Amino acid sequence: MPRNRGYFHVMVPLVAFFLSYVPVIQAGYGAQSCCLTLAQNLVGSVFFEGQKQYADSLGSYYSGQESDLSPSCIVRPINAAQVSTAVKILSTAHIAKPGSCNFAVRGGGHTPYAGSANVESGVTLDLGRMKSIKVNKSRGTVSLEPGLLWGEVYSKLDPMHISVVGGRSNLVGVAGLATGGGISFFSGRYGLVCDNILNYEVVLADGRIINANEREHVDLRNALRGGSNNFGIVTKFELSSFQQGNLWGGDITHDFNTLPEQLQAFVDYGGNSDFDEYSAFFQVFGTVGGLYFITNNPVYTKPTPYPPIFKKFYEISPQLSNTARIAPLHNLTTITGSVAAMGLRNMFITTSFDNDLPFLHWVVQTWKTFSAELAMVPGLVNTILNQHLVPKTLRKAEARGGNSLGLDPNRVVVIAMLSLTWTEAADDEKVRLAAIAFIKSVEAEAKKRRVYNRFIYLNYADLGQEVIEGYGKSQKNRLRAVSKKYDPAGVFQVAVPGGFKLWP
């Protein structure tokens, strides 16, 4: 069938009329046949090239690499029942003819690498119309649908003076962060995002809709706490909620010459045995147009200005800018999200290591050398973000039933994320190869110095990084067993190519 622009815009009404008189098209004959079957069964929720809804979906991805892909159709379900119908059709196609109708699942669309939540010439399930927020009567739990962004969640909860353990940027999606682990401003008090999910409503590969919680399907619940899109599609997250007023926080930017004091303060903060659980912090080293800077992001989850836990940071001078203030959570996450370059070329890649001062100096100086090599890339914004996961945070997981991440709760880990933004698709390969080479050099040096940590944080990972392997062999085997139990045909391993899979 032709795929020229505008063709489906004209043909969809006619096809829908025709299909009302014929049996459902048999799946297994390619993505376009799947799309027609979906259009028959999900009237008003399937969109094709040339339609506004199709263009709007593609244009709302965080990265240009994702927007470049052209699925045969985009399904935008409005509820779990529609997701179930779509998955049954797509699973039938996969079983009849593997590879004939691959599909992608999109929540917020923030993961930047091409194919993470979109698919070329397949079917994209865009959950962006599923945005319900329900607070129970006691205000002790909140149910969130997967199309929400965290900024939308906080806009609803802030006026109610309650909150949940969620993302730190208003532009990040609920679904991806929650199934990938999730670091929050509240992680010191309550653990990771995934540790605070009480119930998952999940659509399985056969279309069944089940709940996974502490009473039923516990193995699936634990697998979804870090196991991402390997088991089904989560259509509702129920999270613990708590009373929460304003917070204190913001960005404090310094000249790069303050590097020695910055790194010493960073190591001392992460290694503090009396870690203040109300605090959250990350440190960013960046360069734009040949200028280098350091930005600290301290947040305190009480309305307490300049708490003692951050004293070593805010005593560093001079400060080039300071946005720290008392504000609602939504306001602070908007600060974090304001640096996002929506629709440009974007890349994340990550690694982890011990809280070691000499090695941190080596990493930052090596990053500066790497940055110089890419200085001529047009529009390049290049940052490396460092943050800690400390034992007080990691130990929260066990009390909440555990997760799949395989982290040692007695070991401080530094998660480093390299984030790159540029303007021209012609530079994609150059930037990506340089970034991979930099991260590999960091890992090689960390192993040499015996400060390497195998953990790869899924929410920052790039295509090709061995995320599941980083959880450890026993966790990987558990995740594989759960996959075989709930998806015996391997639909989410093979027909959904995006994400980090359990088998090669």
Side-chain angles (χ1 to χ4, degrees):
M1 294 179 67
R3 294 196 59 215
N4 56 299
R5 187 171 296 277
Y7 174 82
F8 282 113
H9 182 67
V10 175
M11 290 297 294
V12 166
L14 181 60
V15 169
F17 175 80
F18 172 72
L19 288 175
S20 66
Y21 291 97
V22 298
V24 173
I25 296 173
Q26 293 299 309
Y29 296 98
Q32 291 179 355
S33 292
C34 285
C35 286
L36 294 177
T37 306
L38 289 162
Q40 178 192 15
N41 286 273
L42 297 169
V43 176
S45 293
V46 181
F47 304 100
F48 297 88
E49 188 174 11
Q51 294 184 289
K52 182 180 183 298
Q53 296 92 334
Y54 181 100
D56 288 347
S57 178
L58 288 187
S60 61
Y61 282 95
Y62 172 65
S63 78
Q65 296 98 307
E66 280 280 75
S67 296
D68 286 348
L69 301 180
S70 298
S72 295
C73 62
I74 297 176
V75 181
R76 304 195 71 197
I78 60 172
N79 54 37
Q82 286 199 343
V83 174
S84 172
T85 298
V87 170
K88 280 189 283 189
I89 291 168
L90 295 166
S91 294
T92 301
H94 167 73
I95 293 169
K97 188 178 179 182
S100 63
C101 198
N102 287 344
F103 65 102
V105 183
R106 175 191 175 169
H110 193 260
T111 300
Y113 73 82
S116 57
N118 199 7
V119 62
E120 181 67 32
S121 300
V123 176
T124 295
L125 300 185
D126 178 356
L127 307 179
R129 294 205 292 179
M130 297 176 65
K131 289 181 176 287
S132 171
I133 302 172
K134 292 184 178 179
V135 180
N136 78 337
K137 290 183 179 181
S138 69
R139 296 192 175 187
T141 64
V142 176
S143 293
L144 306 175
E145 288 193 327
L148 288 159
L149 305 182
W150 286 108
E152 295 170 321
V153 176
Y154 302 142
S155 291
K156 170 84 170 183
L157 300 185
D158 280 356
M160 302 174 70
H161 304 292
I162 63 173
S163 198
V164 294
V165 181
R168 296 170 295 179
S169 168
N170 63 318
L171 300 177
V172 169
V174 166
L177 188 78
T179 56
I183 302 173
S184 171
F185 291 142
F186 300 111
S187 287
R189 289 160 60 186
Y190 300 110
L192 299 175
V193 176
C194 67
D195 298 329
N196 290 274
I197 299 174
L198 303 176
N199 184 70
Y200 300 83
E201 180 185 85
V202 190
V203 176
L204 300 180
D206 61 9
R208 284 182 295 149
I209 303 173
I210 67 170
N211 289 289
N213 51 55
E214 66 178 357
R215 298 175 300 279
E216 52 185 336
H217 308 297
V218 178
D219 53 353
L220 180 58
R221 179 203 66 173
N222 290 349
L224 287 166
R225 291 178 167 182
S228 195
N229 67 350
N230 282 298
F231 314 101
I233 299 176
V234 180
T235 49
K236 190 178 296 180
F237 300 85
E238 184 180 355
L239 288 85
S240 300
S241 55
F242 47 87
Q243 294 293 312
Q244 181 63 46
N246 287 344
L247 301 80
W248 174 86
D251 287 338
I252 304 175
T253 299
H254 299 263
D255 187 272
F256 205 82
N257 291 331
T258 62
L259 177 65
E261 302 100 302
Q262 300 284 358
L263 290 179
Q264 184 65 64
F266 179 83
V267 170
D268 291 346
Y269 171 78
N272 188 345
S273 59
D274 193 27
F275 182 81
D276 188 333
E277 296 180 345
Y278 285 84
S279 71
F281 182 86
F282 60 80
Q283 187 170 73
V284 178
F285 305 93
T287 177
V288 181
L291 301 176
Y292 290 83
F293 61 89
I294 301 172
T295 296
N296 294 323
N297 182 266
V299 170
Y300 203 67
T301 59
K302 291 180 179 180
T304 305
Y306 298 98
I309 188 70
F310 299 128
K311 182 178 180 181
K312 290 184 179 180
F313 293 105
Y314 55 71
E315 286 186 342
I316 298 171
S317 62
Q319 294 181 3
L320 303 181
S321 66
N322 186 335
T323 66
R325 58 188 180 273
I326 293 174
L329 178 57
H330 178 263
N331 184 282
L332 294 184
T333 62
T334 301
I335 295 173
T336 309
S338 66
V339 300
M342 297 291 292
L344 297 181
R345 321 307 290 180
N346 284 290
M347 179 181 180
F348 301 155
I349 190 168
T350 187
T351 190
S352 300
F353 44 83
D354 290 345
N355 189 37
D356 181 81
L357 182 60
F359 184 63
L360 278 163
H361 273 282
W362 183 93
V363 170
V364 175
Q365 294 301 333
T366 304
W367 168 79
K368 281 197 73 176
T369 301
F370 155 78
S371 300
E373 295 171 357
L374 293 178
M376 299 307 294
V377 174
L380 183 72
V381 179
N382 172 9
T383 63
I384 185 166
L385 180 153
N386 292 334
Q387 63 194 320
H388 298 96
L389 288 179
V390 300
K392 281 191 176 181
T393 294
L394 299 176
R395 289 171 188 157
K396 301 288 195 301
E398 184 176 356
R400 290 163 170 78
N403 59 45
S404 298
L405 303 177
L407 285 159
D408 182 349
N410 299 308
R411 181 181 180 185
V412 177
V413 57
V414 175
I415 297 175
M417 176 185 71
L418 182 67
S419 175
L420 299 146
T421 298
W422 63 103
T423 57
E424 302 297 330
D427 293 314
D428 286 4
E429 193 69 6
K430 177 180 181 180
V431 173
R432 185 167 185 272
L433 290 176
I436 292 170
F438 168 71
I439 290 296
K440 285 185 175 180
S441 73
V442 171
E443 292 177 339
E445 186 69 17
K447 291 174 182 177
K448 179 180 176 181
R449 297 182 184 223
R450 298 184 179 181
V451 296
Y452 176 69
N453 191 305
R454 71 188 182 192
F455 179 69
I456 298 173
Y457 181 42
L458 186 147
N459 296 125
Y460 294 166
D462 184 47
L463 178 68
Q465 292 200 274
E466 296 182 339
V467 171
I468 304 300
E469 287 74 8
Y471 293 175
K473 186 175 181 180
S474 62
Q475 289 289 358
K476 182 177 180 178
N477 287 340
R478 289 191 189 98
L479 293 175
R480 284 181 165 182
V482 172
S483 173
K484 288 181 178 179
K485 177 179 177 180
Y486 293 95
D487 181 17
V491 172
F492 287 94
Q493 295 302 304
V494 180
V496 182
F500 302 94
K501 299 305 175 186
L502 305 178
W503 282 272

